[in-house]
Amino acid sequence: MTQRLYEYWDALRDGRPAPDRSEIEPGSIRSILGDTFILELIDAQTYRYRLAGTRLCSLHCRELKNRNILRGWSEEDHEALATLLAAVTEDAAAAVVGLSGFTERGQSVDMEMILLPLHIPGEGCNRVLGACVALEQPYWAGMHPILSQTVKSVRLIWPDERPAFLSSSMVRRTSTVPNIRHEAGFVPAPIAGNGRQVQHLMVIDGGKS
């Protein structure tokens, strides 16, 4: 689902950092509409759902429209996700996030979310096209709402890069990230290998093909 949405978005932008919001045609992504959403940037701590698909709303057992996507996270994850969304809206980066959702009964589901910038003429990239998909559909979906979420892994893809692939398997491979102490702010520090430590998360940049 996330790969399909990325490929649709990438074809629309046609070499630009991001396509215009008006170019999105729901009929072209009909099969994945239930998992997709559009966010509107209100301020640095508020990214409000303008639209949310039925399957996504069903996982949360509520209509998500007008809700802030940054609600329901720990302080660390809230800060990290807000910074990822800033990279999407300010720098036209694409982000892939591995996350887990939890119900009040302790039930959990692993999900993959993609965040893609959309341009509004005269306003910049203050819309975000996204999708959030459960890796396995839980039996309790629609009965017990997801009330809290945690980030397991993130990947950033910058405008001039192409991802080698976008699959849930990489999210699972990079989902174990150590908790480390960090100063206020979101300051990446180099680490060995292809990733880098950003606060308590491992960021894997998308590579050029």
Side-chain angles (χ1 to χ4, degrees):
M1 293 293 185
T2 52
Q3 183 174 2
R4 194 176 309 167
L5 187 63
Y6 180 89
E7 290 170 350
Y8 171 72
W9 171 86
D10 191 41
L12 280 182
R13 67 173 178 156
D14 192 26
R16 298 169 293 171
D20 285 348
R21 165 66 180 90
S22 60
E23 296 178 83
I24 302 298
E25 292 290 343
S28 300
I29 49 174
R30 185 178 297 108
S31 63
I32 60 174
L33 276 180
D35 303 294
T36 62
F37 56 84
I38 291 180
L39 304 175
E40 178 184 12
L41 167 63
I42 304 300
D43 56 48
Q45 297 300 317
T46 310
Y47 291 80
R48 186 171 61 193
Y49 285 100
R50 289 181 63 90
L51 299 169
T54 54
R55 283 190 293 270
L56 183 57
C57 290
S58 178
L59 273 177
H60 292 266
C61 294
R62 64 174 70 92
E63 173 58 61
L64 295 177
K65 185 177 180 180
N66 294 325
R67 292 177 64 88
N68 183 6
I69 196 173
L70 293 177
R71 291 180 57 182
W73 303 85
S74 69
E75 183 178 351
E76 284 185 319
D77 285 347
H78 176 108
E79 186 178 356
L81 188 59
T83 306
L84 285 176
L85 284 163
V88 173
T89 55
E90 295 175 13
D91 300 319
V96 181
V97 185
L99 61 140
S100 294
F102 301 90
T103 71
E104 62 182 359
R105 298 188 175 194
Q107 298 153 319
S108 65
V109 57
D110 290 332
M111 297 177 282
E112 182 175 81
M113 178 167 64
I114 188 167
L115 302 166
L116 305 164
L118 293 178
H119 181 259
I120 302 290
E123 300 180 25
C125 293
N126 65 355
R127 298 289 192 278
V128 177
L129 173 65
C132 188
V133 184
L135 302 186
E136 293 183 2
Q137 192 67 14
Y139 72 89
W140 44 263
M143 296 184 293
H144 306 298
I146 292 175
L147 298 180
S148 63
Q149 298 174 103
T150 60
V151 174
K152 298 173 64 179
S153 64
V154 297
R155 282 174 283 161
L156 285 173
I157 304 159
W158 300 104
D160 59 347
E161 294 178 334
R162 292 293 184 271
F165 56 89
L166 284 172
S167 69
S168 58
S169 61
M170 183 172 180
V171 169
R172 288 194 292 271
R173 287 201 299 273
T174 61
S175 62
T176 303
V177 293
N179 289 311
I180 62 170
R181 296 185 61 183
H182 57 85
E183 301 295 330
F186 192 85
V187 182
I191 64 171
N194 296 323
R196 51 197 169 91
Q197 198 73 40
V198 180
Q199 292 191 19
H200 67 301
L201 301 174
M202 180 76 75
V203 176
I204 309 295
D205 289 322
K208 295 181 180 178
S209 58

